[in-house]
Amino acid sequence: MIDEIKFTEKAIQQVNVLVSKKKPGTYFRISVLGGGCSGFKYDFSFDNNFSHEDEKISNIVIDKTSLEILRGSKVDFVSELMGTSFKIS
């Protein structure tokens, strides 16, 4: 099901660089959090835990609830005036 999210090559490369700097068994976790009246907030973090509630592709982990919200999205890594960041559209 995680294949319903498109990851750009830049995003995958950056995830691989970041995870390579962590201890083995570390995943890059993408979560969707409630943001109050402004909608959802995306959270990017590192995690050593993987549960049956998670979907995994390579070293990226997304919980099933967040995955439902992200279905059809694209994850990119961009450089903007304010710096670099992951962007979901």
Side-chain angles (χ1 to χ4, degrees):
M1 190 151 131
I2 201 168
D3 58 344
E4 295 178 24
I5 300 172
K6 170 140 176 56
F7 291 89
T8 65
E9 188 62 33
K10 286 169 56 174
I12 291 172
Q13 288 174 353
Q14 186 63 23
V15 166
N16 290 337
V17 166
L18 293 171
V19 170
S20 73
K21 296 177 181 179
K22 302 293 182 184
K23 69 180 183 175
T26 300
Y27 299 101
F28 184 79
R29 181 173 290 281
I30 301 173
S31 302
V32 179
L33 309 173
C37 58
S38 63
F40 295 114
K41 177 181 175 186
Y42 303 112
D43 183 61
F44 304 98
S45 61
F46 297 100
D47 197 345
N48 295 355
N49 298 315
F50 178 79
S51 78
H52 69 281
E53 294 294 319
D54 293 326
E55 295 283 334
K56 179 174 85 93
I57 182 169
S58 184
N59 50 14
I60 300 169
V61 175
I62 305 173
D63 65 272
K64 289 181 182 179
T65 303
S66 296
L67 191 58
E68 284 295 320
I69 295 168
L70 293 170
R71 181 181 288 162
S73 298
K74 178 174 86 170
V75 179
D76 196 7
F77 185 76
V78 297
S79 295
E80 300 176 324
L81 290 175
M82 299 300 288
T84 57
S85 64
F86 287 95
K87 181 177 180 179
I88 296 179
S89 56

